[in-house]
């Protein structure tokens, strides 16, 4: 089992460009099934989840080539509609193939998807909406058998603005008969990126980024080139790295608008944030201030994917902070590991109370999920002595070259 060994106590300084967003590239890779043509996707991060997505595309019959940060996908020869079970189980995003395969072939077979263990992750909203569009979905022995003799556009009211459900509906609707309206749609920037990609291949999608998305089904699609938006969660994680180590980092190539909720909360901790067009300079404070209330919410609220990293930061703040996790039910597994390092955290259901710890000390800790794992690395950067983060496989699912980048900024981490 691979692990990081971190020698804490080094301030981070320097510049770092931010690569494409995992949560944008994964649904777009699934969407390349639809056009039956060539796709050139650039600014793609090198991540385990991207590799799995490529393997799934390959198993379906697509021709996939990765060169540097660009992936060429020719989906014209795809002939299969069944996803390999072992790959689907490794990654929740594989569920997005359901909408894409239905849009292209009117058929899809897959097992229930896997992903991070951050609470029950139902797909009821996906299934309900696709059924409303005319898909027949049979759930049997852990598999989903989906068939549609022509999906039809309709009016869908989502009970919750689920990111994945919104993406699946947009994909299924892209070639359906008539117009689909999604109300209470998720507004995440990654959905805007999916809309941009789809419109480049000839789809007619508008409204992404707002809570009402309108998709007019089309029959003619073509090839395209698309560049993935920068990863706001990776950027946020490095921002916390600067803040927690009292360092000074400039992050390059960002969309500042995507980061507003993270910037606002960082400022509450006393961190200085200086914006210069697409670059953001972060200057960590001498004394980290607590945050009275940090509540995770769908975009444009504070992202649940940054909750763990902020818990690491707040564990050395000078006072008491409260975090309320409203998006996922079981997303505090990192709290117990942070406590091993000396953090003073108590959780009550979806609420965590973080009191001032005198200091963090290095310990052996275990990454139980992707962002929780990143939080342990951040704590290791300031902990006294040596921190060993085990099970870093989860971290590699979402961060390209994390320890190399941190080392370039002055951290002392080895991967063994
Ligand atoms: C996506 C992101 C993930 C992020 C999450 C919330 C990707 C690849 N992953 O995950 O990093 O943490 O958005 O911003 O983009 N829910 C239901 N029924 C459903 C679907 C969802 O009850 O059918 C619930 C979930 O259990 C969860 C909440 O809705 O409590 C949000 O989930 P959702 O927005 O769907 O997240 P994902 O798309 O899985």
């Amino acid at each position: 089992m691979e692990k990081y060994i971190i020698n804490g106590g080094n301030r981070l300084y320097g510049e770092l460009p931010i690569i494409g967003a995992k949560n944008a590239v994964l649904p777009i890779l699934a969407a390349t099934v639809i056009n039956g043509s060539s796709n050139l996707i650039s600014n793609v991060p090198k991540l385990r989840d991207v590799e799995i997505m490529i393997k799934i595309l390959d198993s379906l019959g697509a021709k996939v080539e990765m060169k540097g940060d660009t992936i060429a996908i020719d989906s014209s020869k795809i002939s299969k509609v069944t996803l390999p079970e072992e790959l689907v189980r490794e990654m929740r995003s594989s569920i997005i193939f359901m909408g894409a395969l239905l849009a292209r072939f009117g058929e899809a077979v897959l097992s229930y998807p896997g992903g991070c263990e951050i609470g029950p992750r139902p797909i009821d909203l996906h299934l309900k909406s696709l059924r409303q569009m005319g898909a027949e979905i049979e759930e049997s022995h852990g598999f989903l058998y989906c068939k549609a003799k022509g999906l039809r556009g309709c009016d869908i009211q989502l009970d919750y603005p689920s990111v994945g459900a919104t993406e699946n509906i947009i994909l299924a609707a892209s070639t359906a008969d008539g117009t689909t309206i999604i109300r209470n749609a998720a507004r995440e920037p990654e959905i805007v990126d999916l809309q941009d990609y789809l419109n480049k291949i000839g789809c007619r999608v508008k409204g992404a980024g707002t809570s009402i998305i309108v998709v007019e089904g089309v029959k003619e699609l073509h090839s395209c080139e698309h560049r993935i938006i920068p990863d706001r969660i990776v950027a946020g994680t490095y921002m916390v790295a600067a803040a927690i180590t009292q360092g000074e980092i400039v992050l390059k190539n960002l969309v500042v608008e995507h980061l507003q909720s993270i910037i606002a909360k960082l400022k509450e901790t006393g961190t200085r944030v200086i914006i210069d067009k697409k670059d953001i300079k972060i200057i960590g404070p001498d004394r980290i201030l607590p945050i009275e209330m940090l509540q995770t919410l769908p975009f444009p609220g504070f992202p649940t994917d940054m909750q763990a990293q902020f818990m690491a930061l707040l564990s050395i703040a000078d006072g008491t902070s409260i975090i309320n996790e409203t998006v996922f039910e079981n997303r505090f597994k990192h709290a117990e590991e942070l406590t091993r390092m000396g953090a003073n955290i108590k959780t009550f259901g979806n609420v965590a109370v973080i009191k001032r710890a005198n200091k963090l000390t290095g310990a052996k800790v275990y990454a139980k999920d992707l962002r929780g794992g990143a939080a342990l690395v951040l704590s290791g950067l300031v902990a006294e002595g040596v921190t060993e983060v085990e099970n870093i496989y989860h971290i590699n699912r979402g961060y390209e070259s994390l320890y190399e980048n941190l080392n370039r900024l002055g951290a002392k981490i080895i991967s063994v």
Side-chain angles (χ1 to χ4, degrees):
M1 197 167 52
E2 273 183 279
K3 61 181 171 187
Y4 285 151
I5 300 177
I6 308 168
N7 257 298
N10 299 291
R11 292 185 177 196
L12 302 193
Y13 289 97
E15 277 188 10
L16 202 65
I18 297 296
I19 186 134
K22 165 176 100 66
N23 288 352
V25 76
L26 297 179
I28 287 175
L29 286 177
T32 61
V33 165
I34 300 178
N35 64 353
S37 185
S38 56
N39 300 274
L40 201 61
I41 312 295
S42 59
N43 203 25
V44 176
K46 286 186 193 64
L47 302 172
R48 263 187 60 85
D49 276 9
V50 170
E51 278 170 32
I52 297 169
M53 216 65 189
I54 290 174
K55 281 187 192 164
I56 294 178
L57 283 166
D58 188 61
S59 77
L60 294 174
K63 203 172 143 225
V64 190
E65 267 178 68
M66 183 142 188
K67 255 197 208 144
D69 72 358
T70 299
I71 308 186
I73 302 130
D74 177 355
S75 61
S76 62
K77 297 279 180 337
I78 290 185
S79 52
K80 293 192 193 132
V81 294
T82 303
L83 302 186
E85 190 183 352
E86 66 285 1
L87 296 178
V88 172
R89 280 184 184 282
E90 279 202 50
M91 192 181 54
R92 178 158 169 102
S93 290
S94 47
I95 191 72
I96 308 300
F97 276 105
M98 192 159 60
L101 286 166
L102 279 172
R104 169 98 181 266
F105 299 106
E107 210 177 340
V109 180
L110 66 158
S111 58
Y112 273 89
C116 277
E117 297 288 323
I118 51 179
R121 297 182 81 176
I123 50 168
D124 53 317
L125 300 174
H126 301 238
L127 301 184
K128 186 175 161 193
S129 313
L130 294 175
R131 283 184 173 127
Q132 208 182 321
M133 298 179 72
E136 285 172 18
I137 304 173
E138 205 189 303
E139 298 167 71
S140 166
H141 301 287
F143 277 83
L144 297 158
Y145 298 88
C146 320
K147 262 201 171 143
K149 286 198 199 81
L151 292 167
R152 46 174 197 275
C154 62
D155 209 317
I156 294 171
Q157 172 76 38
L158 281 176
D159 295 331
Y160 184 88
S162 154
V163 174
T166 302
E167 291 166 346
N168 241 335
I169 301 166
I170 294 175
L171 295 186
S174 65
T175 62
D177 286 333
T179 301
T180 302
I181 302 174
I182 312 167
R183 299 179 200 279
N184 196 25
R187 290 181 282 170
E188 270 64 6
E190 292 76 20
I191 293 175
V192 181
D193 208 26
L194 179 64
Q195 166 178 281
D196 289 348
Y197 162 79
L198 288 171
N199 288 340
K200 283 182 192 165
I201 62 167
C203 296
R204 292 204 188 129
V205 188
K206 56 182 187 202
T210 75
S211 54
I212 299 181
I213 297 177
V214 181
V215 187
E216 236 180 278
V218 296
K219 300 297 168 205
E220 289 281 311
L221 296 172
H222 45 78
S223 60
C224 88
E225 290 184 15
H226 182 77
R227 186 174 170 82
I228 300 294
I229 55 168
D231 197 315
R232 63 195 166 100
I233 305 300
V234 168
T237 304
Y238 287 114
M239 287 177 173
V240 173
I244 206 169
T245 63
Q246 300 177 338
E248 195 172 314
I249 299 181
V250 179
L251 298 172
K252 319 251 330 160
N253 185 29
L254 299 169
V255 181
V256 174
E257 195 51 38
H258 298 169
L259 288 154
Q260 293 296 4
S261 64
I262 298 171
I263 291 172
K265 284 295 166 196
L266 263 184
K267 284 184 174 170
E268 281 184 36
T269 68
T271 303
R272 283 177 61 206
V273 182
I274 300 159
I275 298 167
D276 178 15
K277 294 183 192 114
K278 290 181 175 184
D279 299 347
I280 300 184
K281 185 192 262 189
I282 304 293
I283 305 172
D286 294 336
R287 177 173 155 253
I288 296 166
L289 304 174
I291 295 180
E292 210 169 297
M293 172 55 82
L294 187 150
Q295 188 174 41
T296 66
L297 285 169
F299 191 85
F302 186 87
T304 174
D305 286 351
M306 281 302 299
Q307 178 256 106
Q309 300 89 317
F310 265 70
M311 190 182 280
L313 177 63
L314 296 176
S315 69
I316 57 163
D318 201 0
T320 301
S321 308
I322 295 177
I323 295 181
N324 182 12
E325 170 59 64
T326 78
V327 180
F328 286 106
E329 273 174 43
N330 189 12
R331 207 171 190 179
F332 283 150
K333 287 188 176 162
H334 42 277
E336 195 184 320
E337 300 300 303
L338 291 171
T339 306
R340 277 175 201 275
M341 299 177 69
N344 187 350
I345 303 168
K346 288 214 166 49
T347 60
F348 308 89
N350 286 350
V351 173
V353 178
I354 303 130
K355 289 194 178 158
R356 184 176 188 280
N358 284 334
K359 63 177 176 197
L360 295 181
T361 47
K364 273 193 187 177
V365 287
Y366 195 81
K368 294 177 180 169
D369 60 60
L370 164 56
R371 307 301 170 187
L376 300 177
V377 174
L378 293 172
S379 295
L381 295 175
V382 277
E384 198 178 277
V386 178
T387 300
E388 289 189 22
V389 182
E390 296 193 54
N391 204 31
I392 56 169
Y393 131 91
H394 277 299
I395 302 174
N396 295 334
R397 288 189 34 231
Y399 294 90
E400 177 182 320
S401 311
L402 179 67
Y403 84 95
E404 293 94 331
N405 284 339
L406 289 172
N407 282 348
R408 220 166 285 145
L409 297 169
K412 291 214 163 30
I413 307 177
I414 54 168
S415 175
V416 290

